[in-house]
Amino acid sequence: MRFGSMVVAVALLGAPGVALAQDPGGGVRTPGFERDARRLFQRFVEDAAIMPGGWIEGRLAYASLPNGETALLGPLVAFRLAPNLEAGLRFGFIDIERDPGVNESGFSDVDLYLKYRPSRLGRQRLAFGALVKAATADEQDGLGTGETDVEIFGAYRANLQAVTLVLNAGVRLNGDPPGVDSEDSILFGGGVLLPATQRLTFILEGSWESERVDGAGDDGRLTTGFQLMGRNGRGGFRAAVALPLTDPAPEYEVLAGALFTY
């Protein structure tokens, strides 16, 4: 699957509409305009935001590497289970090209997560959660490790008058596939979400994770992008570019998604 065809598929995934949620008083609200519906790119999960309703996004991630390229197309789903509880999943169809002559494609692993946020502290939020990577990808084709990974994380978010500040940290317990010397990794991140208008938000995000495989090196990225919601707040579009902060990170990464909220 080539890059251009993936872009078209993302647009098709985001095309359907969805009805607005109703508030307890019988009025219509627009979850897409709320602060918790303005989300990070790299660390969407590891954030102290809890969706006011639900989020469905058809997303594309394309990365250019020194010896090839990777592209992933698939859904990202998040929904509120309770006022302080969010769950979700993400997976996709992944295409990998490596020099010389390696070209494999298939379904990726599936990430499942659950996140809890205690009662609000004014404009500040704290959240704690866990993510489990289900090893569904074909390890024989190099699409996954064939092992289950578990991540535990904490997050902080402050919704100030002009900006939202976010921080996150966690530890990832990586499985140990045969013939690979894997390492448990730690991760840190932070960002600024700047609402320019009710519909438009600019996002600046830094993310770093220590090496998952011995000798692979740390992965640090600086991601800049935007989130634009539709006039009625039901759907929108997101796009970003990530540049490397460490040598093992991709030379560049393009992220795009069409979404709707409910």
Side-chain angles (χ1 to χ4, degrees), residues 82-94:
N84 293 328
L85 196 63
E86 180 182 286
L89 61 89
R90 61 189 177 194
F91 64 94
F93 187 88
I94 187 171

Side-chain angles (χ1 to χ4, degrees), residues 152-214:
I152 306 296
F153 63 87
Y156 168 82
R157 170 182 277 234
N159 288 327
L160 306 180
Q161 183 173 0
V163 300
T164 295
L165 306 178
V166 294
L167 295 171
N168 52 73
V171 59
R172 186 180 178 99
L173 308 177
N174 297 298
D176 192 13
V180 177
D181 188 7
S182 65
E183 302 280 349
D184 294 336
S185 57
I186 57 175
L187 53 93
F188 297 98
V192 177
L193 294 88
L194 177 61
T197 67
Q198 185 183 44
R199 297 172 53 200
L200 177 63
T201 301
F202 293 106
I203 301 166
L204 177 65
E205 178 183 359
S207 57
W208 176 88
E209 183 177 1
S210 63
E211 62 183 14
R212 297 185 184 181
V213 177
D214 187 31

Side-chain angles (χ1 to χ4, degrees), residues 67-68 97-103:
N67 64 335
E97 293 188 12
R98 295 285 189 275
D99 297 329
V102 176
N103 189 348

